[in-house]
Amino acid sequence: MTETDMVHEQIDTIDALMAHYVAGSLPEPARVLVQSHLEMKPDNRSLVNSLELLAAEALENAPEAAIADRDARLAAIFSSASPVPAPRTAARPENALFPQALRALLGFEAEDVPWRRRLPGFKEYSLDMDSCEVSLMWIRPGRALPAHTHKGMELILILDGAFNDERGRFGPGDISIADDTVDHRPVAEKDRPCIAFAVSDGPVKLTGSFRQMIGDLIG
């Protein structure tokens, strides 16, 4: 794996993703994606709580180790400036689409997204952050995205609406995990647009037949 990979181990299940979240090994946008997922589906926090308890128990049972340059380290701590409290995040507006963690990361709400049209029926807002490509996606009801696989890892959190692909249905609060083993063609459900937050560390590779690809690009 390269240094730009999202993590240095394979993440292929939600459980593995939650373990990396608890370990603090996710880049910031991926951490925010998981935190937003937990805001939308708080029942899933039980797994995170269990992992945190296991981590605390392992730390408590770890053998003691001497601190190198103890006096110098203590002197540096006592001479450092007091930490500046983190600014308080405004309370999430009622009926807001974005979870609070996502709104804090982006600095705006759903109605203020500066969308750019990428394809007919597909809009996107993207930026680079912490060696990842971060994007918001808006997919017209019933619209199919071109079949593709991934040259890295992609995490997608569904914020509103839903899409279906070869693996099943992904609705609000669900996370899709895709890498080079996944070849899929997401199709937004027909009753409403699908709005999603995506974090990836590599480009997509279009697959499928030429005829299907042209049809999906035209929309």
Side-chain angles (χ1 to χ4, degrees):
M1 291 197 172
T2 66
E3 292 183 356
T4 59
D5 284 335
M6 203 172 296
V7 294
H8 297 288
E9 296 176 30
Q10 180 73 12
I11 294 180
D12 55 3
T13 66
I14 294 295
D15 287 1
L17 180 61
M18 295 301 148
H20 281 283
Y21 172 76
V22 170
S25 59
L26 296 175
E28 180 62 10
R31 184 196 67 79
V32 169
L33 184 146
V34 174
Q35 187 174 340
S36 298
H37 159 77
L38 294 172
E39 285 186 46
M40 296 181 73
K41 292 198 166 183
D43 290 348
N44 290 358
R45 182 165 285 279
S46 59
L47 172 60
V48 171
N49 292 340
S50 298
L51 292 171
E52 288 173 340
L53 288 174
L54 288 173
E57 185 176 325
L59 182 62
E60 186 175 326
N61 294 331
E64 296 181 1
I67 300 176
D69 300 324
R70 176 179 178 275
D71 292 340
R73 289 173 181 263
L74 287 173
I77 292 172
F78 290 129
S79 63
S80 61
S82 300
V84 178
R88 296 185 62 184
T89 303
R92 186 184 183 195
E94 187 177 355
N95 298 323
L97 180 64
F98 289 174
Q100 183 171 316
L102 179 57
R103 185 161 48 86
L105 178 75
L106 298 174
F108 50 75
E109 247 296 340
E111 60 267 22
D112 301 316
V113 178
W115 296 111
R116 295 189 63 182
R117 182 176 179 270
R118 300 296 187 189
L119 296 169
F122 177 71
K123 297 185 291 186
E124 186 180 40
Y125 167 75
S126 62
L127 66 156
D128 293 328
M129 183 183 297
D130 205 1
S131 299
C132 297
E133 181 175 337
V134 177
S135 63
L136 292 166
M137 300 183 293
W138 182 96
I139 310 170
R140 185 187 65 212
R143 214 265 193 232
L145 296 185
H148 63 276
T149 186
H150 303 268
K151 293 186 177 180
M153 182 173 296
E154 177 189 67
L155 305 174
I156 298 180
L157 172 68
I158 306 302
L159 301 170
D160 194 32
F163 76 72
N164 292 268
D165 65 11
E166 291 75 0
R167 300 166 298 166
R169 181 182 188 271
F170 295 86
D174 291 337
I175 297 176
S176 162
I177 302 175
D179 58 14
D180 60 0
T181 68
V182 175
D183 190 335
H184 62 154
R185 182 174 177 261
V187 181
E189 292 190 345
K190 295 182 178 180
D191 61 333
R192 61 191 300 141
C194 178
I195 301 175
F197 173 57
V199 179
S200 62
D201 62 4
V204 301
K205 178 183 177 182
L206 295 181
T207 59
S209 69
F210 179 75
R211 182 175 182 178
Q212 183 189 70
M213 188 184 306
I214 294 299
D216 289 342
L217 289 173
I218 295 174

